[in-house]
């Protein structure tokens, strides 16, 4: 359980709780793997008859800009530039852009405007008509984009769920008013869970430091 803060603090700072936690996970992932990896967040489409889930992709151009601005773990510790107002404000702007884009994607996915279920439907049609060799589904970029090394969901937090690939990580989380719960899983042989836990905690505290050194907290409308 991360007890540094929760949704109350995040909302007062003007951010989406889910969006901010997802960007903290992205930063942790970037520092752990040395790059961003395909990330799945489960989103609900319950407003549709028999609707279940759609994919919200946490990796975007906005999240890439944010994590690269924050830098690697060693860069973060060596630069200590949070007190530089211009650098701090740039990072906060990128964080804002990334969280807002993520929230927009999440809402669109819930409305049935995601891309992954659409692609899955096309794949099923191609498979049923013995056309599974369609170039799109064999494209290396398409295949890499669907290899979920990072699978995340707000349900269920306990007992959580396992990674979906051998070298992946599963992260179930819940953002409560004053804390955040995480259940992190990975193959035992990979020894990923403890380092990932530390990196998520560091990312959340680093974001908090930037916010606290910035503008005074104001209520989110």
């Amino acid at each position: 359980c991360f007890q540094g803060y929760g949704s109350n603090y995040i909302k007062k700072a003007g951010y989406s709780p889910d969006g901010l936690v997802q960007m903290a996970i992205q930063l942790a992932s970037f520092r752990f793997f040395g790059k961003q990896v395909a990330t799945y967040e489960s989103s609900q489409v319950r407003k549709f008859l028999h609707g279940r889930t759609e994919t919200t992709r946490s990796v975007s151009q906005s999240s890439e800009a944010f994590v690269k601005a924050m830098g690697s773990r060693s860069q973060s510790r060596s630069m200590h530039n949070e007190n530089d107002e211009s650098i701090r404000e740039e990072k906060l702007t990128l964080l804002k852009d990334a969280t807002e884009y993520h929230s927009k994607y999440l809402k669109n996915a819930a409305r049935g405007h995601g891309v992954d279920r659409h692609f899955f439907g096309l794949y099923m049609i191609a498979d049923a008509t013995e056309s599974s060799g369609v170039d799109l589904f064999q494209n290396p970029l398409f295949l890499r984009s669907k290899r979920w090394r990072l699978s995340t969901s707000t349900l269920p937090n306990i007992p959580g769920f396992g990674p979906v690939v051998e070298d992946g990580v599963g992260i179930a989380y819940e953002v409560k008013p004053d804390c955040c719960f995480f259940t992190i899983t990975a193959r035992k042989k990979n020894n990923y869970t403890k380092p990932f836990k530390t990196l998520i905690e560091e990312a959340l505290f680093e974001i908090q430091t930037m916010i606290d050194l910035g503008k005074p907290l104001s209520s989110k409308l």
Side-chain angles (χ1 to χ4, degrees):
C1 178
F2 173 77
Q3 299 187 18
Y5 56 89
S7 61
N8 286 340
Y9 173 86
I10 298 172
K11 289 178 180 178
K12 285 183 179 180
Y15 297 89
S16 155
D18 183 73
L20 187 141
V21 170
Q22 279 287 332
M23 290 310 111
I25 292 173
Q26 280 301 300
L27 181 54
S29 172
F30 175 72
R31 290 173 173 174
F32 184 80
F33 292 115
K35 60 182 179 180
Q36 284 187 290
V37 297
T39 306
Y40 176 106
E41 179 184 359
S42 177
S43 48
Q44 304 295 322
V45 287
R46 292 176 179 171
K47 64 173 63 179
F48 298 99
L49 182 64
H50 305 307
R52 297 191 66 185
T53 64
E54 173 59 282
T55 301
T56 293
R57 290 178 172 265
S58 303
V59 175
S60 65
Q61 291 180 322
S62 298
S63 68
E64 178 191 29
F66 169 67
V67 299
K68 286 186 174 180
M70 296 297 288
S72 66
R73 195 181 189 190
S74 59
Q75 288 174 325
S76 173
R77 289 180 171 180
S78 63
M79 292 169 71
H80 296 294
N81 53 24
E82 282 77 11
N83 289 317
D84 185 313
E85 184 176 357
S86 62
I87 294 176
R88 184 179 67 247
E89 288 302 316
E90 178 186 3
K91 289 180 178 179
L92 287 172
T93 297
L94 292 173
L95 174 62
K96 188 73 170 177
D97 291 344
T99 57
E100 288 183 348
Y101 180 86
H102 184 82
S103 296
K104 182 179 179 180
Y105 197 124
L106 187 66
K107 290 177 182 178
N108 284 336
R111 297 187 183 110
H113 296 161
V115 300
D116 284 272
R117 297 300 176 264
H118 177 68
F119 280 133
F120 179 68
L122 291 176
Y123 177 81
M124 293 298 290
I125 292 172
D127 186 57
T129 56
E130 299 183 351
S131 302
S132 56
V134 174
D135 289 345
L136 169 65
F137 303 122
Q138 304 303 321
N139 185 285
L141 179 59
F142 180 80
L143 294 174
R144 181 160 61 91
S145 76
K146 292 183 69 62
R147 189 175 187 277
W148 307 111
R149 292 195 72 185
L150 197 55
S151 180
T152 72
S153 178
T154 55
L155 292 173
N157 177 49
I158 298 174
F161 49 86
V164 298
V165 295
E166 282 291 321
D167 58 348
V169 180
I171 303 179
Y173 64 96
E174 182 178 1
V175 188
K176 290 184 171 290
D178 298 308
C179 63
C180 301
F181 282 94
F182 295 91
T183 301
I184 304 171
T185 63
R187 301 299 184 205
K188 186 176 181 180
K189 64 182 180 181
N190 292 332
N191 195 30
Y192 285 173
T193 54
K194 288 185 179 179
F196 223 97
K197 166 190 170 294
T198 299
L199 288 170
I200 290 177
E201 185 177 52
E202 288 180 355
L204 287 167
F205 276 130
E206 199 170 330
I207 290 171
Q208 182 185 33
T209 297
M210 291 195 305
I211 292 173
D212 289 347
L213 288 173
K215 297 178 180 179
L217 297 181
S218 60
S219 297
K220 182 180 179 181
L221 296 179

